[in-house]
Amino acid sequence: MTDRRRTDPLTGEVIEDPPIRPFADWLREQANGKTHNELGEALWDLIARVEETRKKGTLALTITVEPMPKSDGNVLVISDNIQLKLPEFKRDASVAYVDRNGNLSRNNPRQPTLTGLRDASAPESTTIREAQ
């Protein structure tokens, strides 16, 4: 990593390579732990959906840091945004025709409708006699 230097705002002391707090420690405290919990749930949901669909998905955390308005500079507002993009299941397509009114129809409006048709299948109560 790079060399880091910080000047203590109270004493003016220059601190070379100050110890850096682990990110996970901060994350557990962000929004009273809500961000940490939501990320855990989102990751679980993402893993489950990837296993089901065999497609990739993404989970992104965006952290915004800005100075607190009307503060002396050492008060910061930290906000976060979690974006979860689950892979989609394959959806079946269907075929439809456009009728003369511009509506979708399952029937082809250019094909004539046959009338007078009846079901010629044998009734269920009919039995076949065995040859004697």
Side-chain angles (χ1 to χ4, degrees):
M1 296 301 281
T2 61
D3 291 332
R4 291 187 171 82
R5 180 177 302 134
R6 177 164 173 80
T7 303
D8 185 322
L10 298 176
T11 65
E13 175 188 1
V14 175
I15 305 167
E16 298 287 337
D17 292 322
I20 297 175
R21 183 176 183 211
F23 181 80
D25 292 352
W26 169 82
L27 184 59
R28 279 190 289 274
E29 293 177 355
Q30 174 63 9
N32 294 318
K34 184 178 176 188
T35 300
H36 184 264
N37 293 340
E38 286 180 9
L39 282 168
E41 291 174 9
L43 182 59
W44 193 96
D45 292 342
L46 178 59
I47 290 167
R49 183 66 69 88
V50 167
E51 287 180 324
E52 288 178 279
T53 64
R54 306 300 302 156
K55 296 178 183 177
K56 75 175 183 176
T58 59
L59 172 61
L61 171 63
T62 302
I63 301 167
T64 303
V65 180
E66 55 189 323
M68 172 75 87
K70 301 179 182 177
S71 75
D72 63 359
N74 77 339
V75 180
L76 303 174
V77 176
I78 317 287
S79 58
D80 61 75
N81 182 33
I82 298 172
Q83 292 181 335
L84 176 61
K85 185 173 185 288
L86 296 173
E88 298 293 327
F89 290 103
K90 184 177 187 267
R91 298 188 51 86
D92 294 333
S94 55
V95 175
Y97 300 93
V98 179
D99 67 13
R100 61 184 279 196
N101 296 317
N103 296 309
L104 295 177
S105 172
R106 298 285 294 158
N107 300 318
N108 184 345
R110 295 182 183 165
Q111 186 140 23
T113 303
L114 299 174
T115 59
L117 298 177
R118 62 181 178 83
D119 186 358
S121 61
E124 291 180 8
S125 63
T126 305
T127 59
I128 300 174
R129 292 187 185 184
E130 291 184 23
Q132 295 183 4

